[in-house]
Every structure is written in C-alpha cells, then in structure tokens.
Amino acid sequence: MIFSRKRADAGRHARDERTTEVLDSHDESTPARGPYDISEAPQGVQRLDLGSLHIPAVRDVEVRVQADPEGVIQQVVLVYGANALQLGVFAAPRSEGIWDEVREEIRQSLFNDGAAAQEAQGEYGTELRARVRTQDGLTDLRFVGIDGPRWMVRGVFQGEAATDPAAAGPLAECLDGLVVDRGQEAKPVREPLPLRLPRDVADQAGAAPADGNPAPAPREA
C-alpha cells in the first residue's frame, strides 16, 4: 500500500545539533528537532499515526507501508523521488542508549556478508555507510540511529541520500519531525515497537485488492 502525504509540515527544524529550547508558554524544554518522544512533541502538526511512530506530513513524500491482513505493519519506507528512508523503532533501556552497540552489530553483519562498512560523523552522530549487493546491483546505504527515552529510531537512507546527506531533503524533514509513542509497558531491549495501520485505513485496505507493490526495501542488516 502507498499513502501519499501532499501537505507541508508545520516547519522544518534547524539543521543543527539536537539542542533544546525553552517554551514560552510552559516552564519546560523541548528538543529543537526530533525524533521526539510523544511527551515532548510539538503540537499543531499533521501526522500519520502508525502506533509507535507518528510520521509528519511533508510535501512530496510518500509513506509506503507493507502490512499483514490484520493491519500489523512489517515495513515503513518514506520515498522522495529516487531516495528512500526505511524506518524502524525499538525498545531500549531507561538508563542508556543502544545505537552504538546496534551499529557495531550491523557493521559486523555487513562484513560477514562481504560488504565493507565505514563509520562517519553525521548530523545525528555516528553513522554507518556501506555499499551492498542487491537484486538491483550495488546499492549504497546510510544507517543512522537516534536514542530516545527508552526507545531507539533506526533510519536507513537509500539513493543519493545514502552518500550525500544534503540530498535527503524532505526525508530528513520527516525524520526531524518524527514522534515516537513508546508506551509504558515493559518490553525486551531491541524488540521492535508495534506499528499498525490506522483503523479506517486498515478497513479500507481490507476491502480493496492489494496492489502487490510494497516499497522497495533497503537491505536489512
């Protein structure tokens, strides 16, 4: 299924470090850019609610999902032109982030498959860049990870955005505006947080023939 979001976001976050700013109307702080925890997300932004992930509506970005008949989402990919961003969200411990450990495991997995991966410093911290062989030939991938309170978001850029972050454009805007709803229940560390189609969309999809064309998935490590 393909869901196109054609409206603009409420505004792009500054492309700088994830500093905080004090809100005038409340005596509390919020990150200047996301991904945000649901407890600190800016209000007044149109988002697609997929359960644990709320994806902002950004002009010209398609939200492509692959879901089972019950509406449980197996894959989320944002597409802008020839670029794609695959998103995943996982449970993490309260006391520390897990991206450093996960990144090393991805690097080792790629190495075992014969693909060299190199670390690089990016706007979200340490990234992992690799060139892998897929059914479409050699493909560049850029892995980013953002640790939040008891969650971690992993993004995988594909296309020109994998080698040139500036080419990500609206995809980076989506990542900056992403909201994570972790929930309060205990979950094993690294367990994927549940993603579901909105009920009205799931009902509509169940009544319509499947198009058979889920998003082209970046290679999973």
Side-chain angles (χ1 to χ4, degrees), residues 24 101 129 132 146:
D24 293 334
E101 185 177 348
R129 302 184 183 187
V132 302
I146 303 98

Side-chain angles (χ1 to χ4, degrees), residues 69-147:
E70 286 71 43
V72 177
I73 295 174
Q74 310 298 327
Q75 177 179 291
V76 179
V77 179
L78 311 186
V79 178
Y80 172 69
N83 293 301
L85 170 61
Q86 182 178 357
L87 293 173
V89 60
F90 307 88
R94 185 184 301 274
S95 58
E96 59 184 356
I98 60 174
W99 171 236
D100 287 346
E101 185 177 348
V102 169
R103 185 178 67 250
E104 175 57 25
E105 292 181 358
I106 294 173
R107 188 197 66 78
Q108 187 61 51
S109 177
L110 291 167
F111 177 81
N112 292 341
D113 288 341
Q118 295 183 338
E119 291 187 345
Q121 289 302 308
E123 56 192 335
Y124 297 100
T126 306
E127 305 176 346
L128 197 63
R129 302 184 183 187
R131 177 170 292 179
V132 302
R133 188 174 301 279
T134 69
Q135 60 184 7
D136 298 321
L138 291 176
T139 300
D140 289 307
L141 300 177
R142 177 164 63 96
F143 298 81
V144 301
I146 303 98
D147 288 307

Side-chain angles (χ1 to χ4, degrees), residues 58-72:
V58 174
R59 186 179 300 277
D60 297 328
V61 173
E62 289 182 339
V63 181
R64 302 184 180 183
V65 304
Q66 183 177 12
D68 66 18
E70 286 71 43
V72 177

Side-chain angles (χ1 to χ4, degrees), residues 52 72-74 87-92 98 151-152 154 182 185 187-195 220:
S52 294
V72 177
I73 295 174
Q74 310 298 327
L87 293 173
V89 60
F90 307 88
I98 60 174
W151 51 259
M152 183 200 75
R154 186 196 62 197
R182 163 65 172 77
E185 64 274 19
K187 292 183 179 297
V189 173
R190 303 194 195 186
E191 177 177 297
L193 298 181
L195 299 172
E220 289 277 2

Side-chain angles (χ1 to χ4, degrees), residues 141-219:
L141 300 177
R142 177 164 63 96
F143 298 81
V144 301
I146 303 98
D147 288 307
R150 300 176 66 212
W151 51 259
M152 183 200 75
V153 167
R154 186 196 62 197
V156 187
F157 287 95
Q158 186 173 343
E160 186 181 353
T163 55
D164 179 11
L171 295 179
E173 186 176 348
C174 287
L175 187 56
D176 282 354
L178 197 69
V179 174
V180 178
D181 186 354
R182 163 65 172 77
Q184 299 303 314
E185 64 274 19
K187 292 183 179 297
V189 173
R190 303 194 195 186
E191 177 177 297
L193 298 181
L195 299 172
R196 294 190 63 87
L197 295 176
R199 182 176 296 277
D200 57 340
V201 175
D203 291 344
Q204 181 181 6
D211 63 14
N213 292 304
R219 180 182 180 280

